[in-house]
Amino acid sequence: MTDNLTGVWDGSYVQPSGMVTFLATLIDAGGALGGSVTEPCVMPGCPISTHNASLAGHRSGSAVTFVKRYEPPGYGYDTVHYEGAVNADATEIDGRWSIRGTRFSGNFLMVRSTGPAQAVTAEDEIKEPVR
């Protein structure tokens, strides 16, 4: 398994009103996870069309846990806990989400959309065109 989950991930989670898709960017720094999520607001009467959230958590072997905090909180959105497992080739994270202190929980799936992260060398940087 790759040691790095850094990349762009297409995700979905199931909630009582149906499936919600999202786009997550993960930054994996030696097992410490950070990042961001963008997803549509699906609550009836929601005055904003898109929610943004931050992610913070960790990875240990195949186990992945993180907390998603909506920014700003509101409209039925605040803090959500995720626990899952990454597959052997680090292309999928599958698990459960929950809102602590409530009965709300469900499944989620994240699929890496860009392949494993690779280091960028100086030769890979954009160079000025030759004229």
Side-chain angles (χ1 to χ4, degrees):
M1 178 172 71
T2 183
D3 289 333
N4 196 310
L5 299 180
T6 297
V8 177
W9 296 76
D10 294 306
S12 63
Y13 61 87
V14 179
Q15 63 177 14
S17 63
M19 182 181 294
V20 177
T21 59
F22 61 89
L23 183 66
T25 301
L26 294 181
I27 307 296
D28 182 344
L33 295 177
S36 61
V37 171
T38 303
E39 66 186 61
C41 185
V42 296
M43 297 294 286
C46 190
I48 59 176
S49 61
T50 303
H51 281 289
N52 295 307
S54 63
L55 299 179
H58 68 278
R59 170 197 46 83
S60 179
S62 65
V64 176
T65 60
F66 59 87
V67 176
K68 176 171 67 174
R69 287 183 174 82
Y70 288 93
E71 300 170 353
Y75 315 110
Y77 297 81
D78 190 15
T79 301
V80 183
H81 297 262
Y82 286 77
E83 295 182 8
V86 62
N87 66 353
D89 58 356
T91 58
E92 293 186 3
I93 303 171
D94 187 20
R96 304 251 330 142
W97 64 267
S98 64
I99 299 176
R100 303 262 165 96
T102 73
R103 60 180 177 80
F104 295 109
S105 66
N107 296 323
F108 79 92
L109 175 66
M110 295 170 62
V111 177
R112 190 188 295 260
S113 62
T114 58
Q118 297 177 353
V120 175
T121 64
E123 292 81 32
D124 293 333
E125 292 181 8
I126 298 174
K127 298 181 175 116
E128 183 145 347
V130 177
R131 296 178 190 198

